[in-house]
């Protein structure tokens, strides 16, 4: 299966707005968590159907509907109806291969995001799609499977830390995106630490397997890049949106998030370039090693080949070969061979091959 | 024949607006299919000449004229006259090598598109030009030969699925483009799957033929790129056009299509970069293998050349060569040889060549 | 002589607007052709001096003054005076190394263009400068030597084909540029065909001369690029100019030309990248071949060196060497050698070197 | 630890505006220096707590609060309160891995800068974050540890050199940034001098260690790039800001600083490209040396192998081998060998291998 | 000393606008030349001090103050005072490593330019800074040492050629810049000619020294690039400036200069790319040569190693070795060897190694 683009065979030629789940089912049945909080109190519960979502919430309160599992397209359709999410956005929520983006209409803002995770067992960065719909006093999040990364936000709501309990639904949306981007930095940092640790192997001890490691690294950096680039676009959009769903005071936070995204992007770029450098250095190191192998061969061959030749000459069976009959010929020959060997060694030493 | 640009020899120096078919004739005679549909009913028929196209269609109905085969320039000229298509657009409809683009005038919007297909028998992505003229209540499509890819749209019209029967001619145009872009994603996905399958060959088992495969891959990626890049420009144009032919409510769909195009573009870019990486890794692997070959040679040569030299020395025929006459000389020599061989092996093992 | 920039030694430090011919004289004496045409009739003649150009032409008629040969700076100066061409433009007309561009003033538009030609005898794309001044009802073209490429336009005027006889001087200017760009596509197509034909050589049969061919190709692609890039700029300028010399109805044609230019540019880019790919593949192929050569050497050496060593051992002249005196020693040795050889061959076969 | 991105594990999932120190503590306890100056006099002192900062300073005076050591988040929080620095900026002041940037609000401008230093003992360019808040008549600087680089500015204030004593707090901010950028140029100059000195090694005397040196260089250039790129953005922002905190007359200085930044950027780019060139040249040099090694081997082997073969032939023990019994056979053989050797040498000399 | 950035150690931390000469003193004492010209007459003289400059010049006249030698910062300061040049510009005039740029204020335009020169003795392009201040009826030029390149302009003024005597100070400024850019083209042309001459060496006859030549070339191209890139920016600025110092009629000339700059830029880019291509081709050529060396070795070794083995076998001293005693064994062996050698040669010929 292609890693960088998911199979759309199921939806090929389907009409726009068709609700077809594209992805791998990761849960047996979907799970909905509801959280309603205001300055005064917090209420949390699991619900079974969309009908259990309250029609109205108190003035100033914020509702967070968290949906895990996307295979139940019926459920998603109902949510869409309840919160006036356009069919095209619903389609993309179910198509879990969306490019990070934000869609705006009068009633809501839909965010398509990606959560990154480094999975050690396959040495790959993988990414689940996280969709989020921001309505007037509600945030709905859609995830393929339960995940831990929003837990700190829930804790903050429960414990009433910071401004979250009285800052509106747009602030909640901001906090959730911020949490995901924090996770990106975490992934990049892991990758960076691994990469800088690999430096020694690349520079001094590269082996055949090093090449594959570098390639895996490049692919992972590419995967992160694919997620971060469009995020930057999203940030630029958010920082100049005129949507009524976003309060003036939230913009300060969005600008900060924009800066964080830029920093993330530049770090990815640096590791991308570094991976390219690794590839070049690896190649030069192979060439260096071949050079060394050749030197060993050449030194051995160049010293012994002439000597063997001399021995060969005195191994011939000519009737008349005067040197054979002198008393010290053998020792003279050995001496001559020694001189030749020493001369060759000196020559190679001068050439700095030794 | 150049793959990336078609021969214009026939039209070289021809006057602008000349109707000359540039391409390979793919049908014996052209074929026109007519489809008129409205909220209430659908009518389909094959027609022989442009004169059979009805002068007027009911209020709210949409007519789709589908022309297969472009060699009959007369026919195309007549259609142009009937639907007020400017001569310059007609010329480009017949010149089947157009860069994807859209041309706008008061009466119609002409789209020049490309349909991509991976043809296994030649291991190449090929692309037919598909031109489409959007008029007030009519869409005319021009194709070089009959093709299956618009069939799902026809089915949707026949079965009245979704909004297509009451959404106007601009929605039909959108649906047709969307269908083509879906096909791009399909091509890229195939290429991606093939590419990721090749990964193992590139990393562990590369051969001479691998190089050619990588090159073919790069060319195919380049071919897709050539089609997708201008599509993005077209999308940007459509998303801000003020043409009266496009209804306000259709823009939501065009934005969605724009996102899909961007996603397509980024996937192509990733595979483009991956193909470049393959080339580099292939090269490093060749260097690695040469290094290995050299090691084998050097180990063999470096061990046996000194030994052969020793044997050579005792093969000389000197009258006075004392060692020859000691009782255990031969065994001493063999022992010495063994020590040298073991020492050399240890040396190579230390160097990690073994 | 530098190919990509012509020597300006003659004009170094000359005052702006100095009329100095920079280029190679390609004709003995200049030649002026005059063509005056209107809806009703066409008149053609050769003239000797600028004074023979009629003061006025009939309402609705267009005059085309075609000058071949630029060494007569006097002549060019007179033409400049007659048609109010600014000195700085005249200077550039004579300096035949201009970057394609367009200069605008109230009375005229001056186009600096380049005609491309693939000259087989030197395997080079060469390019002559073609300058063109568009005045109210006149077009003046300047060429270094007579050339065939405007002949089809003259034919079209003579035979009154298309709209040329009644479409004004701006349309003539457009048609002439269009003819040149058609020629570019022709050059690129030739290059592309040659390039794709070279593919087989690069992939399967590369030799030392292939490298030079690839380099020549790159240089030629670079030469075309240098001509096409600025043309795109010129097109963008023309498509939004407010000059009164260009009629509203001509813009449709200019947009079409703009599209053609973009297509040309992209084809050049693709061949540019392909040439780079060829260079990389060539390099990998050399490495592959070296690898193959090494394998042959290693196989031969690794099989025979041990065998030769064994023969060497039994060629020694020790008094006491028991194996020499056994009855079947020789055959045992031959058998042993055979086993070693087969084992080595099996080893190499397992390593896929055979 | 990843060099290009600092661990945010401590702040992962923390709420926005949390004051958490991210970095390595470099001082035991923080240190605050206060400087209040006006046209007439200068006052300097160390203070222990934020409460010691005067509520008001004389009309026309400027106060510079210099904080060393950031681990005391309490202190930073108090300063934030006193000077109305928004929590998000305080958070970034403590997170010492900020991308250089400037944050604007009604009451102040916060600059996040970076100070570069080439540390010889680790052969690395390192960079401390320097944050600076510009308020109406106050500048607050935050540094991780005491550093010498602002000393010349203090000297200038003390000695009343130039306009600094009467030019306002924005001029002080400008002077401090200017001082940091001067330091960048200093770092780049050091790097450049080192690099140009390395040229000879790369071109004529490259060794295995050269590759690592080049890699280190690239990493350092990359580190500087990461600091300079965003600085350019900051300069563009400052040159068109409408903040009331910046006086009209200060813009001249900001434009000059912008030019300096551009120059810095271009120098970095040149050294970046040069480092890439070094890598390529290094690789070609390795290939050159391998070529040379191979030539030595080939010359030795190609001369002696045929000679050894001849000797081998006359070392065979055939009963009937006529040449063995001629009187001068041995000398004829030696002569033949000499001729072969000379012919081979001539052949290699002709091939320019000698 | 770093070539691409000059040491600023002297000015490190200095206050903005400090007049410190940065560069190498190239004259013993500064030299000022004064030229006052109008339509009617020209006056030239050397002066000793700024006080000798006339307070006023006749209506319509232009004064050109040409300063050689910048070490006398006093003198520059006085000139600055006399002509209202801001201190920051004076600082940059003395800092002879400025990026080409233009600074605008109400009273004058200051140009920082660079003069390029190919110095054969060090095979390097070097560049002196040339600063120029344009005031209402005055042009002041600052150069590090006397130079010939403005002489043709002086000649033109003396001889009243062209419009220079009555076109104003802005025209003089234009003419001086034009002269410098003409010089760039001259440098690029020299480099190009040299480069194209090197082509043969790179393609057919590359040696170790070729690599260094290519590197020198790249560095020189990079040096020119560094000067030309910012010039283009300056041209874009000048072509849209609203400064009153530039007359309407001068814009035609500035546009022409802009075109020339663009052409210069593109030529530099082409030679930049060509130098990169040279590097690649050089590398492939080294690989080709190694391949050739290997072939020679392999052919020799593969032919003679088996033959030597055969001779070795018949050189063994076994008591029972039947072939030794047949009458024609020796000749059969020679024949067998011949057959093997011919077979091997045929094999290598088939492989196209011969
Ligand atoms: Mg990538
Ligand atoms: Mg990058
Ligand atoms: Mg980068
Ligand atoms: Mg970067
Ligand atoms: Mg890079
Ligand atoms: Mg690169
Ligand atoms: Mg390489
Ligand atoms: Mg491409
Ligand atoms: Mg890319
Ligand atoms: Mg990319
Ligand atoms: Mg890449
Ligand atoms: Mg790339
Ligand atoms: Mg890229
Ligand atoms: Mg180029
Ligand atoms: Mg390109
Ligand atoms: Mg391209
Ligand atoms: Mg490209
Ligand atoms: Mg490419
Ligand atoms: Mg390219
Ligand atoms: Mg290479
Ligand atoms: Mg970098
Ligand atoms: Mg760069
Ligand atoms: Mg660059
Ligand atoms: Mg650069
Ligand atoms: Mg470069
Ligand atoms: Mg450069
Ligand atoms: Mg470039
Ligand atoms: Mg270029
Ligand atoms: Mg380029
Ligand atoms: Mg480049
Ligand atoms: Mg290139």
């Amino acid at each position: 299966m292609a890693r960088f683009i998911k199979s759309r065979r199921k939806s090929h030629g389907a009409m726009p707005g068709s609700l077809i789940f594209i992805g791998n089912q990761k849960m047996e049945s979907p799970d909905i968590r509801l959280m309603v909080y205001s300055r005064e109190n917090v209420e949390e519960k699991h619900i079974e159907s969309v009908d259990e979502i309250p029609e109205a919430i108190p003035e100033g309160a914020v509702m967070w509907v968290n949906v895990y599992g996307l295979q139940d397209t019926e459920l998603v359709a109902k949510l869409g109806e309840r919160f006036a999410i356009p069919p095209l956005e619903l389609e993309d929520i179910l198509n879990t291969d969306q490019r990070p983006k934000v869609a705006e209409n009068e009633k809501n803002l839909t965010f398509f995001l990606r959560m990154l995770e480094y999975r050690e067992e396959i040495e790959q960065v993988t990414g689940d799609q996280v969709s989020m719909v921001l309505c007037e006093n509600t945030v709905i999040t859609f995830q393929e499977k339960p995940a831990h990364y929003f837990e700190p936000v829930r804790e903050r709501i429960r414990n009433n830390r910071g401004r979250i309990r009285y800052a509106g639904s747009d602030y909640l949306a901001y906090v959730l995106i911020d949490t995901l981007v924090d996770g990106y930095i975490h992934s990049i940092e892991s990758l960076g630490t691994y990469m800088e640790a690999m430096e020694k192997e690349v520079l001094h001890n590269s082996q055949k397997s090093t090449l594959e490691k570098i390639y895996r690294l490049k692919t992972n950096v590419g995967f992160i890049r694919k997620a971060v680039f469009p995020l930057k676009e999203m940030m630029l959009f958010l920082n100049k949106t005129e949507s009524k769903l976003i309060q003036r005071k939230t913009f300060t936070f969005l600008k900060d998030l924009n800066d964080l995204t830029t920093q993330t992007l530049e770090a990815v770029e640096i590791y991308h370039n570094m991976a390219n450098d690794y590839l070049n250095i690896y190649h030069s190191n192979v060439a260096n090693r071949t050079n060394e192998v050749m030197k060993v061969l050449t030194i051995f061959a160049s010293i012994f080949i002439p000597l063997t030749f001399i021995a060969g000459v005195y191994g011939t069976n000519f009737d008349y070969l005067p040197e054979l009959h002198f008393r010290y010929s053998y020792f003279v020959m050995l001496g001559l061979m020694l001189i030749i060997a020493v001369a060759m060694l000196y020559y190679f030493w001068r050439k700095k091959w030794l």
Side-chain angles (χ1 to χ4, degrees), chain A:
Chain A
M1 209 187 74
R3 180 179 178 195
F4 286 100
I5 199 158
K6 283 191 188 164
S7 176
R8 267 170 185 75
R9 215 153 291 172
K10 279 196 282 179
S11 75
H12 188 53
M15 68 189 179
S18 303
L19 298 192
I20 298 167
F21 173 56
I22 293 179
N24 306 314
Q25 185 176 329
K26 290 171 185 160
M27 297 182 65
E28 224 170 297
S29 70
D31 179 18
I32 314 178
R33 289 181 62 169
L34 199 73
M35 195 171 205
V36 181
Y37 62 85
S38 63
R39 202 181 280 258
E40 293 80 25
N41 66 317
V42 180
E43 196 187 342
E44 275 185 279
K45 65 176 168 188
H46 280 261
I47 60 174
E48 296 293 313
S49 99
V50 173
D51 304 328
E52 294 177 51
I53 298 175
E55 288 282 306
I57 55 169
E59 172 84 35
V62 172
M63 177 162 66
W64 176 9
V65 184
N66 197 152
V67 182
Y68 298 122
L70 301 175
Q71 70 271 44
D72 185 353
T73 58
E74 195 82 2
L75 168 73
V76 173
K78 267 188 185 168
L79 273 167
E81 213 174 303
R82 168 73 176 79
F83 291 101
I85 311 169
L88 285 172
E89 313 312 339
L90 292 178
E91 185 185 7
D92 287 352
I93 286 170
L94 290 171
N95 182 336
T96 60
D97 189 28
Q98 283 312 304
R99 183 174 188 267
K101 65 177 177 182
V102 57
E104 185 178 29
N105 64 49
E106 293 230 340
K107 292 255 173 93
N108 40 46
L109 276 168
T110 311
F111 298 85
F112 298 90
L113 300 157
R114 195 152 283 281
M115 181 264 152
L116 295 184
E117 199 176 12
Y118 182 76
R119 287 171 57 196
E120 296 213 7
E121 73 277 19
I122 52 169
E123 287 202 332
Q124 267 190 9
V125 176
T126 59
D128 273 2
Q129 176 163 317
V130 179
S131 311
M132 177 168 66
V133 183
L134 168 63
C135 313
E136 210 197 318
N137 51 18
T138 304
V139 168
I140 310 148
T141 52
F142 296 90
Q143 288 159 263
E144 292 180 68
K145 61 170 194 287
H148 58 92
Y149 41 90
F150 286 157
E151 206 48 44
V153 180
R154 271 187 213 100
E155 273 305 310
R156 222 186 296 159
I157 294 172
R158 286 176 199 131
N159 303 333
N160 195 4
R161 278 194 284 111
R163 63 172 67 209
I164 197 161
R165 288 269 283 271
Y166 48 87
S169 60
D170 57 337
Y171 184 78
L172 175 59
Y174 150 71
V175 163
L176 295 175
I177 304 177
D178 188 58
T179 302
L180 291 177
V181 179
D182 258 15
Y184 289 14
I185 295 208
H186 194 72
S187 295
I188 296 166
E189 193 206 320
S190 305
L191 208 71
T193 307
Y194 174 72
M195 206 155 173
E196 294 177 27
M198 234 184 95
E199 199 182 277
K200 216 180 136 186
E201 178 176 339
V202 171
L203 282 170
H204 301 300
N205 198 21
S206 63
Q207 292 166 282
K208 240 200 130 185
S209 64
T210 310
L211 186 59
E212 184 168 356
K213 279 190 204 165
I214 297 171
Y215 171 73
R216 294 267 167 260
L217 217 76
K218 286 201 69 161
T219 315
N220 281 324
V221 172
F223 194 85
I224 297 179
R225 263 180 126 194
K226 202 191 158 203
V228 182
F229 260 88
L231 199 68
K232 177 71 194 171
E233 281 175 41
M234 190 196 284
M235 288 306 139
L236 295 177
F237 172 85
L238 284 180
N239 274 282
K240 63 181 177 45
T241 184
E242 291 175 5
S243 166
K244 286 175 195 163
L245 291 164
I246 308 223
Q247 305 171 70
R248 246 191 90 85
K249 64 183 177 191
T250 307
F251 279 100
T252 325
F253 296 98
L254 292 176
K255 185 180 178 303
D256 190 71
L257 191 50
N258 185 18
D259 291 341
L260 190 63
T261 307
T262 309
Q263 199 183 350
T264 308
L265 206 61
E266 291 188 350
V268 174
E269 273 318 283
I270 284 186
Y271 290 116
H272 172 80
N273 287 336
M274 212 182 262
N276 280 336
D277 287 348
Y278 277 14
L279 208 57
N280 281 326
I281 286 165
Y282 178 83
H283 192 67
S284 285
N285 263 333
V286 173
N288 263 331
R289 283 208 311 278
T290 300
N291 187 275
E292 226 175 282
V293 173
M294 290 305 309
K295 274 188 207 159
V296 169
L297 174 61
T298 302
I299 290 167
F300 268 90
S302 304
I303 291 175
F304 285 104
I305 284 178
L307 305 188
T308 303
F309 161 69
I310 293 170
V313 167
Y314 294 111
T316 54
N317 298 315
F318 291 107
D319 288 355
Y320 184 69
L321 203 171
E323 296 97 309
L324 292 181
H325 311 299
F326 302 143
R327 175 93 194 159
Y328 296 110
S329 284
Y330 173 56
F331 303 102
V332 169
M333 181 189 77
L334 289 185
L336 181 71
M337 285 171 166
L338 192 68
I339 289 165
I340 289 173
V342 167
M344 291 302 298
L345 285 170
Y346 178 74
Y347 171 72
F348 291 129
W349 177 79
R350 278 292 301 273
K351 265 181 166 317
K352 297 202 176 145
W353 293 9
L354 287 176

